Amino acid sequence: MHHNGRMLGVIGGSGFYTFFESGTRDVDVDTPYGRPSAPVTLGTVGGREVAFLPRHGATHEFSAHTVPYRANMWALRKLGVRRVFGPCAAGSLDPANGPGAVVVPDQLVDRTSGRADTYFDSGAVHVDFADPYCPTLRASIKGVTGLPDVVDGGTMVVIQGPRFSTRAESRWFAAAGFGLVNMTGYPEAVLARELEICYAAIALVTDLDAGVTAGEGVKAVDVFAQFQRNMGPFKELVRAAIGRVTDERTCTHCRPHTGVTLPVNLP
């Protein structure tokens, strides 16, 4: 187990099931919340220790509403990870950001239901979540050059899934000023905050959502195909962002428990 806090984490989304080229080892991690989506793969990127976990499992066994989010984030922290990138697929509510665009959201809206979204079922612990993403990790992504242009900021609305939005829902979300639709961004982000893990989402746009333009609507086969077409450059962008992260963690934004007695012992 690594506990120096320097290991970085990557949680890969739909189609993002592997990350390293060679020199890896898999680690089975058990947690109080069950087993994570898959064994955690440990490797290096540019000399940096990285732990990779496919969000949906090695072969996409878990749909968005069944992902073991609590086990996933707990397992990474148990291995010593304190900073996590969360690449994901997303639909766009803005025609200016079409398929292939990469967006680093700065806000989210939760429209999920019934998901286990806290480690604190007792103790009345309240976590600051006004700004759900780590500004330091977001800056490392925004500074990447020579790869797909990165759109800075935007609100990602997280829906329950596994179905896609109706046209009316898409129009409603767009009218509210949201820029992206996704199914996995919550509770992943808030669980990271509860564990005092820095977390930043990186959204690869795979489609324009159903209510944005006239057409047949969103189809899963098209979403996966678009994600695969952009997977190479997308992984390179994540690797480049890792290379911009400092060895020592300096962020204080993602440490909300100062002076608070927690009802559970964090790993």
Side-chain angles (χ1 to χ4, degrees):
M1 297 293 182
H2 299 261
H3 295 285
N4 62 11
R6 294 184 176 183
M7 181 183 287
L8 303 178
V10 175
I11 302 178
S14 299
F16 199 141
Y17 307 127
T18 61
F19 189 50
F20 306 106
E21 295 180 354
S22 61
T24 65
R25 65 186 179 97
D26 289 344
V27 179
D28 287 311
V29 186
D30 200 8
T31 81
Y33 308 95
R35 303 185 77 80
S37 299
V40 181
T41 302
L42 305 182
T44 59
V45 174
R48 302 294 303 276
E49 285 188 308
V50 177
F52 174 76
L53 181 61
R55 184 182 291 116
H56 295 280
T59 58
H60 208 101
E61 306 97 300
F62 298 97
S63 189
H65 66 297
T66 63
V67 169
Y69 294 101
R70 290 194 296 182
N72 285 353
M73 202 60 70
W74 191 276
L76 290 176
R77 180 174 169 104
K78 188 174 180 179
L79 288 170
V81 171
R82 298 296 183 270
R83 291 171 288 183
V84 171
F85 290 108
C88 61
S92 177
L93 294 161
D94 181 355
N97 297 324
V102 175
V103 182
V104 184
D106 60 353
Q107 281 294 319
L108 70 78
V109 171
D110 171 31
R111 293 289 302 168
T112 66
S113 62
R115 298 185 183 187
D117 62 354
T118 183
Y119 296 105
F120 306 138
D121 290 322
S122 62
V125 176
H126 305 283
V127 173
D128 173 11
F129 202 54
D131 296 297
Y133 301 113
C134 174
T136 305
L137 287 187
R138 290 188 70 253
S140 71
I141 306 162
K142 293 184 296 180
V144 173
T145 59
L147 287 164
D149 290 337
V150 174
V151 178
D152 177 16
T155 297
M156 184 164 70
V157 57
V158 185
I159 62 174
Q160 175 69 1
R163 69 171 179 84
F164 295 116
S165 303
T166 67
R167 295 187 194 279
E169 288 168 336
S170 291
R171 290 192 292 267
W172 176 34
F173 297 152
F178 309 152
L180 298 168
V181 180
N182 167 268
M183 295 181 188
T184 59
Y186 189 90
E188 197 167 275
V190 72
L191 293 173
R193 184 64 53 85
E194 286 193 346
L195 293 180
E196 295 197 323
I197 292 174
C198 292
Y199 176 89
I202 314 173
L204 174 61
V205 173
T206 56
D207 59 275
L208 292 175
D209 215 51
V212 177
T213 59
E216 295 183 357
V218 181
K219 296 184 182 299
V221 64
D222 297 330
V223 168
F224 284 111
Q226 183 63 236
F227 204 80
Q228 286 303 316
R229 279 194 290 272
N230 292 280
M231 184 54 62
F234 192 46
K235 286 184 178 181
E236 285 304 311
L237 188 148
V238 177
R239 293 187 183 106
I242 287 171
R244 292 176 49 81
V245 176
T246 59
D247 286 342
E248 299 297 332
R249 182 186 181 197
T250 59
C251 172
T252 58
H253 176 83
C254 303
R255 299 182 181 183
H257 301 318
T258 302
V260 177
T261 300
L262 300 180
V264 298
N265 293 320
L266 303 187

